[in-house]
Amino acid sequence: MSSEKVTLAHVARLAGVSIITVSRVLNNKGRFSEATRARVLQAANQLGYVANTAARSLRGHPTQILGMVIPELVSPYFAELARAAADAASQMGYDLAVFTTSRDPERERERVGALLGGLADGLIIVVPIGSAGFLASLERSRAPVVLVNHFGAPTHLPVVRADSFEGSLAAVRHLLALGHRRIGFITGAAHSSQATERLRAYRECMLAAGLWDERLVRPGDFTQQRGVEAGHELLSLEEPPTAIFAASDLTAFGVIAAAQARGLQVPQDLSVVGFDDIPTAAHSHPSLTTVAHPIQAMGQAMVDLIIKAKAGEQVRDVLVEFPSELIVRESSAPPRIPGEKV
Amino acid sequence: MSSEKVTLAHVARLAGVSIITVSRVLNNKGRFSEATRARVLQAANQLGYVANTAARSLRGHPTQILGMVIPELVSPYFAELARAAADAASQMGYDLAVFTTSRDPERERERVGALLGGLADGLIIVVPIGSAGFLASLERSRAPVVLVNHFGAPTHLPVVRADSFEGSLAAVRHLLALGHRRIGFITGAAHSSQATERLRAYRECMLAAGLWDERLVRPGDFTQQRGVEAGHELLSLEEPPTAIFAASDLTAFGVIAAAQARGLQVPQDLSVVGFDDIPTAAHSHPSLTTVAHPIQAMGQAMVDLIIKAKAGEQVRDVLVEFPSELIVRESSAPPRIPGEKV
DNA sequence: TTGTAAGCGTTATCAA
DNA sequence: TTGATAACGCTTACAA
């Protein structure tokens, strides 16, 4: 019932045993009589004893905490990724501590070091932080680290990632197969390698079809707001697209809002395809055609790799790559035939 | 360039000084010559030294990490709350570690203890975890803790919360003022005190107006999917409502999707009002009338309180309460006059 | 300006 | 079955 920190010493005094005995009982390690066991447990309970994680960690004991660094919490994609990792971690008896990226790369490096220096047993890094030099120092540290959706500088660290290229190809081909010829594209954030992959697929597909038109590409940033703006830009063109592929679902919803605000119907007047398959995609009207990553499986893979690395298994150069999948819903349909009665 | 952990001892050996001197230089504390400073810095850099957070924490040094426990990451409201806290924390030189609630209350208690036991300097708890007994033990621990949106068991711990009752009243009155008489309501999750407040306001308002009808209330859980279902339920009534107030924006969007799927137009055929003002609310079509919490200010208040508590200021019984605000957008309008030409 | 000694709370190793 | 001792890496007091 005391205040301030309750240590093993307090429990030991109350139970009338030595510190180490208390430790043994609470960790269920070593031998002790049933009587002491009962007395220690009773004392610990009465005082509300909780082990000091810092001291344990210093002694080499794992914290059962996995750290995860993501660019932002409010993006549904990253939130889902974090949820998947948290679920997988929880199943393995770990807690997941989620951090968002700071703007300052130096601070970033410090934080990563701090996490690995006693706070977390492993680290899931969803953004390629900083330089190749930083990755190299992480490699050398032998700390359990896994990179997620890393497409950048080569590294020996284990990587879990999901395809964006093939899925985007499938999306554009889907629109082509429906009969669309003018297909707009709204990119993702400039620094994102996933965004680069999606643009690359769109570009390759449109070039191959002889339909490439630079004016149909608008810069985006994965947000809904930018989707509204870019949607209006594309629909204001002299020859507006009959379909728009957006690099994220949020952006796609922005496009749909822009179209509807102009009195257009989706998919009758405009087909829209997104990317991510956020929960909302299935429960909106029209429901959204989109490309999905197998997020649950990715979360599982991240945690598995960390745990393997902790156990000393060789994870150097391991690359776990997941496919993406086109999910056709209501927001894509054949273009209205020109002159067709509305 | 070594692997494994680099400690002060390694740096000291390389720099040819004592451990404590390295510590002093790196912490910029105490006196030392410029020459040793340079040598130490060079050595630390070369070895890639990072301070071990566990050891520091054990010694009483703060970790500069604030913990935050939220029910889930994928809810936009909680994600925004976490973002706001992270921003505020960052400004004060802290990192924010976000944890999601586990189902197991015993594990929850352990985790909170672990966080306070050396990992985090303070804790922001967004859910009233467990019993009054648990709150009491937190109080006794004198640890820097702040409760967010706590409406439950009385406590002396500092609380930051935002109104849900007055905002909901304003929402329902807004619909009444527009001329609606049959106003449906979809509740939030059963265990949420915020949900309770919102239902209470709706009920009070409808009773006062003599318009209360139990059939117009449908259970929800804050999700979009449930909004679709409950929306269909309400719109299938013999006398369907002309307006629906949903306990969350996601649910409101589900209602809009359900209405649109039935060929109804929002707001012409059905007015919809949500709660939360998630980013999407402003960028959808129609944009969503909703009630907003001042999330940025709340995040600031949480961090301020933690820091005050850390500094030894008295925060016992402090209650910081924020108002909510009705934001009228496009999704609410007067009901169609019966018999009016469509 | 620099170094020595002690201790934070816990657990591994050895002894009783 | 139990206990004393040392050690994890770091920083605060005190000494040189």
Side-chain angles (χ1 to χ4, degrees):
Chain A
M1 292 298 173
S2 83
S3 64
E4 288 298 347
K5 288 176 187 169
V6 180
T7 74
L8 282 183
H10 297 127
V11 180
R13 200 179 315 139
L14 181 59
V17 295
S18 75
I19 290 179
I20 184 64
T21 300
V22 178
S23 170
R24 278 202 271 258
V25 169
L26 295 177
N27 292 325
N28 229 337
K29 234 172 176 181
R31 313 224 164 287
F32 38 81
S33 73
E34 186 51 42
T36 45
R37 189 188 119 88
R39 238 172 337 134
V40 166
L41 253 38
Q42 144 72 14
N45 224 33
Q46 180 179 334
L47 295 174
Y49 170 80
V50 200
N52 182 309
T53 316
R56 274 196 162 164
S57 163
L58 190 55
R59 207 63 195 70
H61 196 286
T63 60
Q64 297 299 106
I65 293 181
L66 262 32
M68 183 175 198
V69 185
I70 59 179
E72 46 165 334
L73 282 161
V74 292
S75 148
Y77 178 75
F78 292 123
E80 291 285 342
L81 220 46
R83 196 247 297 257
D87 287 349
S90 175
Q91 276 181 8
M92 307 300 289
Y94 287 83
D95 270 331
L96 189 77
V98 180
F99 294 80
T100 46
T101 314
S102 69
R103 306 104 209 102
D104 181 352
E106 184 50 38
R107 220 174 127 47
E108 196 66 46
R109 192 202 147 105
E110 271 177 34
R111 176 202 298 168
V112 168
L115 282 170
L116 262 12
L119 292 193
D121 293 345
L123 205 46
I124 299 170
I125 302 182
V126 183
V127 274
I129 312 177
S131 57
F134 179 63
L135 292 181
S137 81
L138 269 180
E139 282 180 42
R140 276 199 313 275
S141 80
R142 290 206 350 127
V145 170
V146 55
L147 265 32
V148 178
N149 286 347
H150 175 82
F151 286 86
T155 174
H156 297 298
L157 294 170
V159 171
V160 171
R161 71 184 184 201
D163 159 76
S164 267
F165 184 79
E166 295 293 337
S168 299
L169 273 190
V172 179
R173 285 185 184 141
H174 163 67
L175 291 171
L176 288 172
L178 285 172
H180 293 278
R181 289 299 166 261
R182 288 190 69 73
I183 301 171
F185 182 71
I186 302 171
T187 74
H191 55 76
S192 157
S193 53
Q194 294 270 347
T196 309
E197 292 287 288
R198 292 168 200 179
L199 172 59
R200 191 164 67 84
Y202 165 82
R203 185 188 162 90
E204 194 164 294
C205 207
M206 293 297 275
L207 280 172
L211 297 170
W212 172 258
D213 181 346
E214 207 178 356
R215 291 166 299 182
L216 290 174
V217 179
R218 281 290 184 282
D221 57 6
F222 290 131
T223 68
Q224 184 153 349
Q225 177 163 17
R226 183 61 201 138
V228 174
E229 296 162 6
H232 279 300
E233 289 167 25
L234 286 170
L235 295 171
S236 303
L237 288 177
E238 205 172 318
E239 264 188 287
T242 62
I244 294 177
F245 177 32
S248 84
D249 283 354
L250 280 185
T251 302
F253 282 121
V255 169
I256 291 177
Q260 290 173 340
R262 302 169 80 93
L264 299 177
Q265 287 200 298
V266 177
Q268 292 87 341
D269 301 309
L270 179 74
S271 284
V272 178
V273 177
F275 202 115
D276 287 344
D277 193 32
I278 64 178
T280 291
H283 304 118
S284 59
H285 184 85
S287 58
L288 187 67
T289 295
T290 186
V291 183
H293 281 176
I295 301 232
Q296 295 307 316
M298 291 171 73
Q300 193 73 53
M302 301 171 205
V303 174
D304 284 352
L305 274 172
I306 294 279
I307 291 178
K308 277 184 184 168
K310 266 195 62 181
E313 267 188 63
Q314 186 58 266
V315 292
R316 192 184 152 88
D317 288 318
V318 169
L319 170 61
V320 183
E321 191 143 31
F322 289 95
S324 55
E325 183 191 5
L326 177 68
I327 297 178
V328 178
R329 295 207 183 92
E330 297 166 354
S331 66
S332 55
R336 215 189 268 288
I337 292 147
E340 188 193 3
K341 203 169 172 186
V342 176
Chain B
M1 294 296 172
S2 82
S3 62
E4 289 297 346
K5 288 175 187 170
V6 179
T7 74
L8 280 184
H10 296 127
V11 180
R13 201 180 314 140
L14 181 60
V17 295
S18 75
I19 291 179
I20 183 63
T21 301
V22 178
S23 170
R24 279 201 269 254
V25 169
L26 295 178
N27 291 326
N28 230 336
K29 232 171 177 181
R31 312 224 164 285
F32 38 81
S33 73
E34 187 52 41
T36 44
R37 190 188 119 88
R39 234 165 348 126
V40 167
L41 253 38
Q42 142 73 15
N45 225 33
Q46 180 180 334
L47 295 172
Y49 171 80
V50 199
N52 182 309
T53 316
R56 273 197 164 163
S57 162
L58 192 53
R59 208 62 193 71
H61 196 285
T63 61
Q64 297 300 106
I65 292 179
L66 262 30
M68 182 176 199
V69 185
I70 59 178
E72 46 164 334
L73 282 162
V74 292
S75 148
Y77 178 75
F78 292 123
E80 291 285 343
L81 220 46
R83 196 246 297 256
D87 287 349
S90 175
Q91 276 180 10
M92 306 301 289
Y94 287 83
D95 269 331
L96 189 77
V98 180
F99 294 80
T100 46
T101 315
S102 70
R103 305 103 209 105
D104 182 352
E106 185 49 37
R107 221 174 127 46
E108 196 66 47
R109 193 203 147 107
E110 273 177 33
R111 176 201 298 167
V112 168
L115 283 170
L116 262 12
L119 293 193
D121 294 343
L123 205 46
I124 300 170
I125 301 181
V126 183
V127 274
I129 311 177
S131 57
F134 179 62
L135 292 182
S137 81
L138 271 180
E139 282 179 42
R140 277 199 312 273
S141 80
R142 289 206 352 129
V145 171
V146 55
L147 264 33
V148 178
N149 285 347
H150 176 83
F151 287 86
T155 175
H156 297 297
L157 295 169
V159 171
V160 171
R161 72 184 183 201
D163 158 77
S164 267
F165 184 78
E166 295 294 336
S168 299
L169 273 190
V172 179
R173 285 185 185 142
H174 163 67
L175 291 171
L176 287 172
L178 286 171
H180 293 278
R181 287 301 168 261
R182 287 190 70 72
I183 301 172
F185 182 71
I186 303 172
T187 75
H191 55 76
S192 157
S193 53
Q194 295 270 346
T196 308
E197 292 287 290
R198 292 169 200 178
L199 172 60
R200 191 164 67 86
Y202 164 82
R203 185 189 161 89
E204 194 163 293
C205 207
M206 293 298 275
L207 280 172
L211 296 170
W212 172 258
D213 180 347
E214 205 179 356
R215 291 166 300 182
L216 290 175
V217 179
R218 281 290 183 283
D221 57 6
F222 290 131
T223 69
Q224 184 152 349
Q225 178 164 16
R226 184 59 200 138
V228 174
E229 296 162 6
H232 278 300
E233 289 167 25
L234 286 170
L235 295 171
S236 303
L237 288 176
E238 205 172 319
E239 264 188 287
T242 61
I244 295 178
F245 176 33
S248 84
D249 283 354
L250 281 184
T251 301
F253 282 121
V255 169
I256 291 177
Q260 289 174 339
R262 302 169 80 93
L264 299 177
Q265 287 201 299
V266 176
Q268 292 86 341
D269 301 309
L270 179 74
S271 284
V272 178
V273 176
F275 201 116
D276 286 344
D277 192 32
I278 65 178
T280 290
H283 303 118
S284 59
H285 183 84
S287 58
L288 188 67
T289 295
T290 187
V291 183
H293 281 176
I295 301 230
Q296 295 306 316
M298 290 172 72
Q300 194 71 54
M302 301 171 206
V303 174
D304 284 353
L305 273 172
I306 293 278
I307 290 178
K308 276 184 185 167
K310 266 195 62 181
E313 267 187 62
Q314 185 60 265
V315 292
R316 191 183 153 87
D317 288 318
V318 168
L319 169 62
V320 183
E321 191 144 30
F322 290 95
S324 55
E325 184 193 5
L326 176 68
I327 298 178
V328 178
R329 295 207 184 92
E330 298 166 354
S331 66
S332 56
R336 214 190 268 288
I337 290 147
E340 188 193 2
K341 202 170 174 185
V342 176

